[in-house]
Amino acid sequence: MKMYNYELKPLGSGEEHICYKAYTLNNFRDLPQMELLSDEAKFAMEVVANVFPFKTNSYVVDELIDWNNFQNDPIFALTFPQREMLKPQHFDHMAAALVGGASSDDIRKTANRIRAELNPHPAGQMESNIPELNGERLNGLQHKYNQTVLFFPVRGQTCHAYCSFCFRWPQFVGIDELRFAMRETEQLIEYIRIHPEVTDVLITGGDPMVMKTKRLSAYVDALLESNLDNLTTIRIGTKALSFWPYRFLTDNDSDELLALFKKVVDSGKHLAIMAHFSHPRELETNAAKEAIARILKTGAQIRTQSPLLSHINDSADVWADMWNRQVALGCIPYYMFVARNTGAHQYFSVPLVKAHSIYKEAMKKVSGIARTARGPIMSSNPGKIQVLGTNKDASEEVLALQFLQARNPDWISQPFFAKYDDKALWIDELKPAFGADQFFFQNKNEK
Ligand SMILES: *Cc1c(COP(=O)(O)O)cnc(C)c1O
Ligand code: SF4
């Protein structure tokens, strides 16, 4: 495996299967590339990193970012904090605390005051959709859409690097509790057994691929051994193909990981790796290409998804290029999301009308094989809402929308209409068209 830059160099500190160096607020100034930045720019990074989570790693820094043009580099914007991610008043507030030599306690309080103003709990994800078994809440699970149960293993709730736009940011800065996994998989299995409508388990995080294979296989083996006839598909959500493809190549348990994938496939279940890619650059390294090939060789499939983000991938050419590369490598494009209305979304958000036009233009540039990508989609409290397009022919200019997933399955694939608004960023900024006082899925008692 000479083509890889990484030799297996155990790090220690409990992550002994992983061999990259991580960079955070505490040590990012040690990166030699930081010499390219002015002191002011480094200070701005520190200000923002005191509010939002920040972690990158040596693979991202050495193989993905083009430091000759880092100011415009999409992967730099993807993992390094950017000054404009904070509103000016919030930036000044934190900058003053740091310059004034505030205690770490005061800095944390300042950070938490700012965070509280950034809609840390959009879509009520924390409280709702937590299922119960025999009257007990199963905190490591979420069951919102009939067919699919989300499973949050306790040791998979971090990532190899953090996306600067991450909607799980409150978890990574410690203002949300981690979703504690159940004691073992027993309750998950029991839950699926008594819910015959469930066909899919989606193991998610964070990134479950930060777990050692041994831990992951404890969950997966239990699922396989329980002979759940209704369970046809195991999905694993991950950004590891982008942030640490060596997870599938050179980590000291990579071969066991691939053997686990093969075991799932050989058992007759569908294994879908739900891979998060934000930019075609992430698909260009030898490591990423080889990791994809090794996963596909096990018989698993790779489906891809990402939010559409200003400063990172807000162009039709970028999406068409990304989907074409994914298809060429054997992946299946799946979802294009709209950036959620939380955290630094004012920096990353693309208006819904523009998002749809990027989707439409990108679709025009790819063959039908890549048009499996559906979008743009808002993952909102009532469900996954797709923007279908705009229409001026009716008596009123409208945006057409539909649910791809919904709390109430009757809402799925039912077109509905909002007044045309080329500034709206999210469903709650849209107004119903044709004189209606609410959308069909709303009742008077809820927003
Ligand atoms: C997106 C999502 C799923 C999976 O939906 P699919 O359309 O089947 O990919 C499941 N649960 C929740 C809460 C989701 O947001
Ligand atoms: S990989 Fe997902 S959970 Fe992890 S930082 Fe990125 S968006 Fe957040």
Side-chain angles (χ1 to χ4, degrees):
M1 293 205 204
K2 281 182 293 320
M3 66 193 208
Y4 308 132
N5 296 342
Y6 284 82
E7 302 290 326
L8 185 62
K9 270 182 289 176
L11 270 186
S13 76
E15 290 187 322
E16 57 272 19
H17 63 307
I18 288 171
C19 49
Y20 55 75
K21 187 158 171 49
Y23 293 91
T24 66
L25 173 61
N26 298 325
N27 66 345
F28 77 94
R29 287 171 187 269
D30 300 344
L31 275 168
Q33 288 87 349
M34 286 300 112
E35 283 172 21
L36 298 166
L37 275 73
S38 65
D39 287 345
E40 196 190 343
K42 278 179 279 203
F43 177 68
M45 225 174 237
E46 189 178 330
V47 171
V48 177
N50 270 288
V51 177
F52 292 118
F54 169 34
K55 173 161 106 185
T56 188
N57 69 50
S58 40
Y59 169 75
V60 175
V61 168
D62 295 337
E63 296 199 49
L64 294 183
I65 295 173
D66 175 7
W67 289 98
N68 293 318
N69 184 25
F70 71 92
Q71 290 96 335
N72 299 311
D73 187 273
I75 311 295
F76 180 71
L78 175 66
T79 65
F80 281 84
Q82 308 295 318
R83 183 190 176 115
E84 294 78 17
M85 285 170 55
L86 283 178
K87 292 176 188 148
Q89 71 270 27
H90 290 155
F91 187 93
D92 293 345
H93 198 166
M94 180 53 83
L98 293 175
V99 170
S103 68
S104 56
D105 210 39
D106 284 339
I107 289 171
R108 194 167 42 245
K109 279 185 192 144
T110 303
N112 283 343
R113 267 198 299 273
I114 296 171
R115 289 163 181 160
E117 292 179 29
L118 299 173
N119 190 24
H121 299 120
Q125 291 281 13
M126 289 299 288
E127 320 76 46
S128 50
N129 315 314
I130 297 175
E132 290 189 357
L133 185 69
N134 307 323
E136 187 188 340
R137 276 161 69 89
L138 303 179
N139 280 313
L141 294 188
Q142 224 185 73
H143 190 195
K144 180 171 178 181
Y145 307 133
N146 277 344
Q147 294 80 8
T148 304
V149 170
L150 307 192
F151 174 45
F152 297 81
V154 69
R155 300 301 284 266
Q157 300 309 309
T158 182
C159 301
H160 295 288
Y162 291 145
C163 306
S164 44
F165 58 81
C166 179
F167 66 96
R168 295 237 156 88
W169 64 273
Q171 175 179 315
F172 301 140
V173 296
I175 58 173
D176 278 353
E177 284 175 53
L178 281 184
R179 296 172 177 284
F180 287 106
M182 291 145 297
R183 267 165 271 131
E184 287 301 329
T185 37
E186 282 158 36
Q187 288 165 306
L188 169 67
I189 287 163
E190 179 63 12
Y191 186 82
I192 297 171
R193 200 184 297 287
I194 62 173
H195 287 271
E197 73 277 18
V198 172
T199 56
D200 293 35
V201 169
L202 170 49
I203 304 173
T204 187
D207 189 338
M209 285 302 160
V210 302
M211 285 189 288
K212 292 181 192 179
T213 303
K214 224 186 266 165
R215 269 182 208 287
L216 180 65
S217 66
Y219 297 122
V220 172
D221 284 339
L223 281 168
L224 296 183
E225 283 159 16
S226 60
N227 291 316
L228 295 159
D229 286 339
N230 51 319
L231 184 71
T232 57
T233 303
I234 297 176
R235 309 195 216 176
I236 302 174
T238 182
K239 179 98 186 159
L241 282 166
S242 304
F243 282 162
W244 184 237
Y246 297 98
R247 180 72 194 91
F248 308 94
L249 302 173
T250 57
D251 282 356
N252 63 11
D253 59 356
S254 296
D255 291 344
E256 286 95 320
L257 181 63
L258 293 158
L260 175 67
F261 289 179
K262 186 161 187 309
K263 184 173 168 186
V264 176
V265 174
D266 289 346
S267 81
K269 305 280 185 211
H270 179 93
L271 177 62
I273 306 302
M274 308 303 291
H276 174 185
F277 288 108
S278 323
H279 194 276
R281 175 89 51 82
E282 297 164 319
L283 296 147
E284 284 176 31
T285 66
N286 285 336
K289 290 180 193 166
E290 187 68 13
I292 289 170
R294 290 192 90 191
I295 291 170
L296 294 179
K297 222 179 267 170
T298 68
Q301 294 201 335
I302 303 174
R303 292 171 206 271
T304 62
Q305 53 192 24
S306 170
L308 168 59
L309 303 150
S310 189
H311 306 282
I312 294 176
N313 61 20
D314 56 340
S315 102
D317 285 337
V318 166
W319 281 86
D321 184 17
M322 182 159 71
W323 286 333
N324 278 332
R325 280 173 195 274
Q326 287 167 356
V327 163
L329 294 168
C331 306
I332 304 168
Y334 193 63
Y335 278 148
M336 172 204 263
F337 288 112
V338 175
R340 290 206 199 189
N341 53 345
T342 177
H345 80 111
Q346 94 285 347
Y347 180 72
F348 293 109
S349 281
V350 175
L352 297 170
V353 168
K354 183 175 174 199
H356 177 263
S357 116
I358 289 172
Y359 174 81
K360 186 172 192 279
E361 290 305 308
M363 278 286 136
K364 281 176 21 187
K365 295 169 195 274
V366 299
S367 95
I369 293 291
R371 292 188 197 176
T372 49
R374 291 168 296 164
I377 293 163
M378 289 168 270
S379 205
S380 65
N381 184 31
K384 280 188 167 70
I385 301 176
Q386 178 183 26
V387 181
L388 290 169
T390 56
N391 192 309
K392 292 185 186 185
D393 301 335
S395 55
E396 178 180 340
E397 191 171 6
V398 296
L399 265 173
L401 307 126
Q402 74 169 349
F403 283 97
L404 293 180
Q405 289 285 9
R407 273 196 279 128
N408 178 346
D410 291 339
W411 301 344
I412 293 169
S413 286
Q414 162 76 55
F416 63 99
F417 302 93
K419 283 189 178 143
Y420 182 88
D421 180 345
D422 60 9
K423 299 208 174 52
L425 303 172
W426 198 254
I427 182 71
D428 60 6
E429 295 168 24
L430 290 174
K431 302 259 178 314
F434 307 129
D437 62 352
Q438 58 187 8
F439 290 116
F440 81 97
F441 56 90
Q442 292 170 317
N443 75 44
K444 301 260 187 254
N445 306 322
E446 56 183 325
K447 241 190 80 198

